[in-house]
Amino acid sequence: MHRLLALVCLFVFATAFAQTKPVTVVRADNNEPIAGMWVYDEAQLIVEQTDESGAFDIGRFTDKQQMIFFHPDYVRRVLTKAQIEQENFTIALERVSYTSDEVVVKGYRFGNDRAQIAQATSEVTAKQIEFQQPRTAGEMLESGGVFVQRSQYGGGSPMIRGFTANQVLLVMDGVRMNNAIYRAGNLQNSIQVDANALGSADILFGPGSVQYGSDAMGGVMVFNTFEPLPSLMKNAKVNAKAFTRYATANEEQTAGGTIEYGLQKWAFLGNFTYSDFGDLRSGRVLSDAYPEYGRRREYVERQNGEDIIVHNDNTSIQRFTGYTQSNILGKVRYWHNSHLNATYALIYTTSSNIPRYDRLEQYRNGALRYAEWYYGPQELLMNRISVNSSAGGKLYDDAEFTVAHQDYQESRHDRSRDNDNRNDRTEDVSVISLNADMGRELGAGKLFYGAEAVFNDVKSSAQTTNIVTGEVGPQSTRFPDGGSNTTMLAAYGGWRAPVSSNIVMTAGLRYTQNMLKAKFDDKSFYSFPFDEIKYNSGAPTASLGAVCSVSSWQVRGVLSSGFRAPNVDDVGKIFETGDGVVIFPNPDLSSEYSYNGELGVDRTFGRFSTGITGYYSLLQDAVLVRDSQFNGQDSVLYDGSMAKVKSLQNLGEAYVTGFDFRVKAHVTDHVTASTSLSYGAGHDTESDLPLRPVPPLFGQTSVIYEAKQWAGELFARYNNWKQEHDMPISGGEVSAYTPDGVPSWWTLNLRGNVKVVEHLEVVAALENIMDLHYRPYASGVSAPGRNLIVSLRANL
């Protein structure tokens, strides 16, 4: 009895010692303590910070909680108490570099430890964003392995594994941005995300519908804006930083700043960015085979009340491509206790008019067709409230409840040359979303589950405006004039658990009910054979993945499904594509589905690492544009011109397959070389045509040198040919391509930074050093020519 009592006392003492013993965080290279290291759980309910000796109190965290160690100068680590004890309560962290792989994937809803995620992911950190100086979030995504198309300079439509536009999902701070009028083809809304306000961005490759629902067929891009943190001292914590940037190819002038104010229970953050972009200059060195490719020889200008075709004195200047952009972010955060906190966020973005450059380049009957074609200011106002809780009793161990409202407005304005009447079409969308995401530890695994509801309300209006007299007249709307609404209701569940010491498996299920209603009131323009369109259908999706880690090898495998339910743009749009084709509503449209399999292998040995992921996606009931009729006619009069009638239709099957490859070598302690390649191929088996959203082989090769006070990178970006027979070219795309397709291209680039003094940094880049002219696949605007970018960054 005495012996048993002694063992119990010893166990209690050992447990108490482990709970209260300070943990020390040190540098991996010299074991020096790291002060100011943030340590928190996934929801940041419990927040600690290391002192001058690198120590913090582990006692507030539970045994199973994963602790995230975060400091902008060090690579994050995710550890439990048991793992910390295995390291003898001393945690060594590597200094972060511009080539470091992020270990925390915030956008993955079934656990954020990258080592346990079977799905291929890519992350872009705040440190990389500051070094790479992307003009927009679209440019930032390119560094994460995403191909980005641009119809105009003020845009960026991501293409992931042969899916694009409303087949891929944009998420900001856990709120889905895709709304009921996100269109097929190319979608330029990524510019509404301020790259300069991001703490990180996560790209999930392949279907993400189990976690996020409709639209996540090809992948999910999760943008995580800055989060304010409290002061753990009696005094308030104040951080501030600002930057300014200038670029020569577009005469860019950008300025922005961030301020953070933290108290013990409250934290505040504000961020703003303003950018002014001039007309873009493309490369001057042309292809001998295609000397006219991408040249802007002439443009339309209004002079003395007439539309005049003007000769362009500098054919490298793409008139008109310039625009301005403004972004504001505000956050307030409150910690009630270690089990409950709440965050309010306001995000606002707007722009000037954005010229649709590919339309301004279009010719009809041998002359420029349009005098004007532009998007009006693209405005987004998001209000978001989220509550994190760990006091769920038997219901959950941790949870996040989010309610958000988005007001979104976009408009299109076009006027044909020698016509005084301009067509003005405006769309207003109101979106309310509710999310409940919960998790509970069960045995050796963890259960993730939740529910989601999203409501869209769409108002569409149109008019003609005489630019001389100001007279306003009626015009057909882009979407149903009687109003439209959609509802998405969903529940999901996921399970992650180790099945052996080397294998972790994750399984997920989701059921989504999608409803749509669109009303057609005014039939004075088109006599539709229906008054409204209704849609009500459910969509089950599932995923199963496994990660096997053995020594220096890791093998990942995933089977998953995705879907996209028709939205208002799909079923109710009336729109001319620009090549003599008008898209008409299709009341019989239904959901499209994808079934995906992928296998990835990663190997690390010494200073060298490599990985390859292969994938295959089968599309069923794929939604594609095909010939149609309206009231028995194959052509109609649209905006004064005859146009061929087409509509979005569910076809039989299509497939997409490809691979992503990467290799990285730490040549020395300061030099890292890397290469990444992506290849895809897709085919519509029903019509025996290639799929358009599949880019050619593309990639990047880089050599970077990093020292304590400065860094420099020499890198090349390249795209292979996309031959004419590998893509379905329509008449409206002829100006964007050559008769043989899209030529291959490559650029040589240099960038670097230097810390001038303690709080001031200079970042500079020289892009497209050879000043080569090129136009990325599917884009309607040529890329920048030789471009010098200089940025000053200051922080307090």
Side-chain angles (χ1 to χ4, degrees):
M1 184 67 181
H2 294 289
R3 187 173 298 174
L4 178 60
L5 183 60
L7 288 173
V8 171
C9 291
L10 180 63
F11 174 76
V12 172
F13 174 77
T15 302
F17 178 75
Q19 293 283 340
T20 59
K21 181 179 179 179
V23 178
T24 303
V25 184
V26 300
R27 290 177 52 169
D29 54 352
N30 58 17
N31 286 325
E32 289 185 0
I34 303 173
M37 172 71 62
W38 292 99
V39 185
Y40 44 72
D41 64 310
E42 183 178 350
Q44 296 182 356
L45 289 164
I46 302 173
V47 181
E48 291 286 344
Q49 194 172 29
T50 58
D51 57 24
E52 294 298 324
S53 63
F56 77 97
D57 184 6
I58 197 176
R60 297 178 65 202
F61 297 91
T62 65
D63 290 342
K64 291 187 177 182
Q65 271 185 322
Q66 289 186 321
M67 285 167 267
I68 299 173
F69 292 76
F70 169 73
H71 191 287
D73 295 333
Y74 295 88
V75 178
R76 297 191 207 201
R77 293 194 66 183
V78 182
L79 299 168
T80 62
K81 280 187 174 180
Q83 292 169 325
I84 291 173
E85 188 173 0
Q86 289 174 3
E87 299 193 21
N88 199 25
F89 299 95
T90 301
I91 310 303
L93 271 71
E94 302 280 352
R95 286 193 66 86
V96 71
S97 73
Y98 296 111
T99 60
S100 297
D101 293 323
E102 181 59 86
V103 300
V104 177
V105 185
K106 292 184 65 176
Y108 193 77
R109 284 180 167 171
F110 296 163
N112 59 19
D113 186 350
R114 187 182 187 185
Q116 298 182 346
I117 298 175
Q119 186 175 359
T121 65
S122 176
E123 295 75 45
V124 184
T125 66
K127 185 179 180 71
Q128 292 168 336
I129 292 172
E130 290 184 355
F131 184 64
Q132 295 164 0
Q133 303 185 91
R135 178 180 58 91
T136 64
E139 289 188 2
M140 179 211 64
L141 289 170
E142 290 177 316
S143 67
V146 176
F147 189 92
V148 177
Q149 178 275 352
R150 293 175 181 85
S151 298
Q152 65 276 342
Y153 196 45
S157 184
M159 294 181 175
I160 302 179
R161 293 188 175 181
F163 297 87
T164 189
N166 56 17
Q167 295 176 320
V168 295
L169 184 66
L170 303 180
V171 177
M172 183 157 52
D173 285 348
V175 179
R176 55 182 293 133
M177 296 178 64
N178 290 40
N179 59 45
I181 65 170
Y182 266 38
R183 62 186 180 274
N186 300 308
L187 191 68
Q188 311 297 321
N189 297 72
S190 66
I191 68 168
Q192 294 183 312
V193 177
D194 183 6
N196 303 292
L198 296 180
S200 65
D202 304 315
I203 301 111
L204 312 180
F205 294 90
S209 290
V210 170
Q211 299 177 58
Y212 288 99
S214 180
D215 301 6
M217 296 178 67
V220 183
M221 291 148 286
V222 183
F223 305 101
N224 308 302
T225 62
F226 294 139
E227 292 283 5
L229 290 170
S231 171
L232 301 181
M233 311 297 290
K234 291 183 178 180
N235 298 327
K237 172 179 66 72
V238 180
N239 294 321
K241 59 181 181 179
F243 79 99
T244 182
R245 183 170 65 231
Y246 177 79
T248 59
N250 58 358
E251 297 184 345
E252 174 193 355
Q253 299 176 68
T254 294
T258 307
I259 185 166
E260 182 182 359
Y261 182 80
L263 300 170
Q264 289 184 332
K265 284 185 171 291
W266 291 86
F268 307 85
L269 184 141
N271 185 89
F272 81 92
T273 305
Y274 175 80
S275 297
D276 188 335
F277 306 106
D279 288 338
L280 178 64
R281 184 186 66 79
S282 61
R284 295 187 179 94
V285 179
L286 306 175
S287 165
D288 293 336
Y290 311 102
E292 294 299 311
Y293 177 47
R295 296 293 86 185
R296 180 71 149 146
R297 296 293 179 185
E298 55 189 7
Y299 57 91
V300 177
E301 193 173 84
R302 190 77 173 175
Q303 296 180 3
N304 300 320
E306 294 185 4
D307 295 326
I308 306 297
I309 295 180
V310 179
H311 174 72
N312 190 4
D313 294 332
N314 185 346
T315 59
S316 296
I317 303 296
Q318 300 176 92
R319 308 178 189 274
F320 302 89
T321 49
Y323 70 102
T324 64
Q325 183 91 30
S326 301
N327 296 278
I328 295 174
L329 166 68
K331 286 191 177 182
V332 179
R333 204 168 188 188
Y334 170 71
W335 283 263
H336 182 66
N337 54 36
S338 60
H339 299 291
L340 186 69
N341 70 30
T343 303
Y344 166 74
L346 179 147
I347 298 172
Y348 177 72
T349 175
T350 187
S351 70
S352 65
N353 293 335
I354 300 179
R356 177 75 186 263
Y357 184 74
D358 60 341
R359 295 299 179 89
L360 295 176
E361 275 197 316
Q362 282 185 3
Y363 283 78
R364 173 169 287 184
N365 299 324
L368 288 169
R369 178 182 178 184
Y370 289 106
E372 298 179 72
W373 213 121
Y374 61 89
Y375 293 104
Q378 296 191 20
E379 294 191 8
L380 172 65
L381 173 63
M382 179 190 294
N383 287 276
R384 169 184 174 270
I385 296 176
S386 64
V387 176
N388 290 99
S389 170
S390 63
K394 294 182 179 182
L395 181 61
Y396 59 80
D397 294 328
D398 52 78
E400 182 174 24
F401 305 100
T402 303
V403 57
H405 178 255
Q406 300 175 69
D407 268 326
Y408 174 77
Q409 184 181 88
E410 68 176 30
S411 61
R412 294 164 176 81
H413 310 267
D414 66 90
R415 184 175 64 84
S416 298
R417 184 174 51 84
D418 296 330
N419 186 340
D420 291 340
N421 289 318
R422 185 183 66 230
N423 301 309
D424 302 316
R425 293 180 170 92
T426 301
E427 328 304 333
D428 291 283
V429 185
S430 176
V431 186
I432 296 175
S433 59
L434 305 169
N435 291 80
D437 302 299
M438 294 164 280
R440 182 167 178 79
E441 302 281 351
L442 290 177
K446 186 169 184 178
L447 177 67
F448 302 88
Y449 55 101
E452 181 176 28
V454 182
F455 309 93
N456 279 252
D457 185 70
V458 181
K459 303 296 184 186
S460 189
S461 59
Q463 64 181 35
T464 61
T465 304
N466 188 296
I467 64 171
V468 176
T469 66
E471 182 181 355
V472 174
Q475 181 56 285
S476 62
T477 57
R478 178 180 173 90
F479 301 117
D481 59 290
S484 309
N485 60 74
T486 65
T487 299
M488 182 179 76
L489 303 175
Y492 75 88
W495 172 257
R496 186 194 67 201
V499 296
S500 73
S501 59
N502 299 320
I503 300 176
V504 175
M505 294 194 67
T506 304
L509 290 171
R510 182 187 182 103
Y511 183 83
T512 308
Q513 191 71 25
N514 299 281
M515 292 157 277
L516 178 150
K517 184 178 180 180
K519 295 181 64 178
F520 298 81
D521 288 343
D522 186 357
K523 295 189 177 182
S524 60
F525 289 95
Y526 304 104
S527 180
F528 292 106
F530 43 80
D531 295 322
E532 65 179 19
I533 294 176
K534 288 185 177 181
Y535 174 86
N536 190 342
S537 180
T541 50
S543 65
L544 177 65
V547 178
C548 178
S549 303
V550 179
S551 184
S552 59
W553 290 86
Q554 186 181 78
V555 180
R556 299 171 285 103
V558 179
L559 295 174
S560 58
S561 61
F563 82 100
R564 188 180 70 83
N567 63 16
V568 175
D569 183 88
D570 296 314
V571 303
K573 176 173 62 179
I574 308 170
F575 179 63
E576 190 207 14
T577 64
D579 52 2
V581 170
V582 62
I583 305 297
F584 261 69
N586 177 8
D588 299 321
L589 201 63
S590 60
S591 294
E592 57 180 343
Y593 294 86
S594 67
Y595 301 93
N596 176 75
E598 72 175 70
L599 180 66
V601 179
D602 299 300
R603 174 79 193 279
T604 300
F605 36 98
R607 292 176 172 267
F608 185 82
S609 64
T610 185
I612 187 168
T613 301
Y615 60 88
Y616 181 90
S617 293
L618 175 66
L619 281 75
Q620 290 192 338
D621 295 326
V623 175
L624 298 170
V625 176
R626 291 295 181 262
D627 292 341
S628 185
Q629 289 188 343
F630 176 69
N631 291 336
Q633 298 179 326
D634 62 4
S635 297
V636 298
L637 189 68
Y638 182 84
D639 284 356
S641 301
M642 291 301 295
K644 184 176 177 60
V645 175
K646 293 193 176 187
S647 66
L648 290 170
Q649 301 172 26
N650 292 106
L651 301 179
E653 290 185 353
Y655 71 84
V656 180
T657 187
F659 68 83
D660 299 308
F661 170 79
R662 64 176 181 83
V663 60
K664 181 165 62 176
H666 297 285
V667 182
T668 71
D669 290 342
H670 299 286
V671 179
T672 302
S674 63
T675 289
S676 62
L677 291 171
S678 294
Y679 170 78
H683 205 79
D684 170 11
T685 55
E686 179 81 9
S687 303
D688 193 25
L689 290 171
L691 290 180
R692 181 179 176 276
V694 182
L697 175 73
F698 67 96
Q700 177 172 307
T701 296
S702 164
V703 178
I704 184 168
Y705 179 91
E706 296 185 67
K708 186 176 181 180
Q709 299 294 328
W710 68 279
E713 181 182 18
L714 179 67
F715 64 101
R717 297 177 60 232
Y718 36 84
N719 271 216
N720 198 11
W721 260 94
K722 187 77 168 180
Q723 300 289 345
E724 182 271 340
H725 57 78
D726 288 332
M727 55 187 183
I729 295 182
S730 63
E733 295 174 320
V734 169
S735 64
Y737 305 138
T738 73
D740 301 315
V742 182
S744 60
W745 56 265
W746 67 278
T747 63
L748 187 64
N749 314 270
L750 181 67
R751 62 186 167 211
N753 67 350
V754 59
K755 193 172 183 179
V756 181
V757 294
E758 183 178 358
H759 299 292
L760 181 64
E761 180 184 51
V762 177
V763 187
L766 185 61
E767 298 178 340
N768 194 0
I769 296 172
M770 309 302 291
D771 203 23
L772 302 175
H773 174 270
Y774 68 99
R775 181 170 288 192
Y777 170 66
S779 293
V781 61
S782 297
R786 184 182 296 120
N787 188 22
L788 176 63
I789 308 172
V790 179
S791 176
L792 296 178
R793 293 186 173 274
N795 64 81
L796 298 177

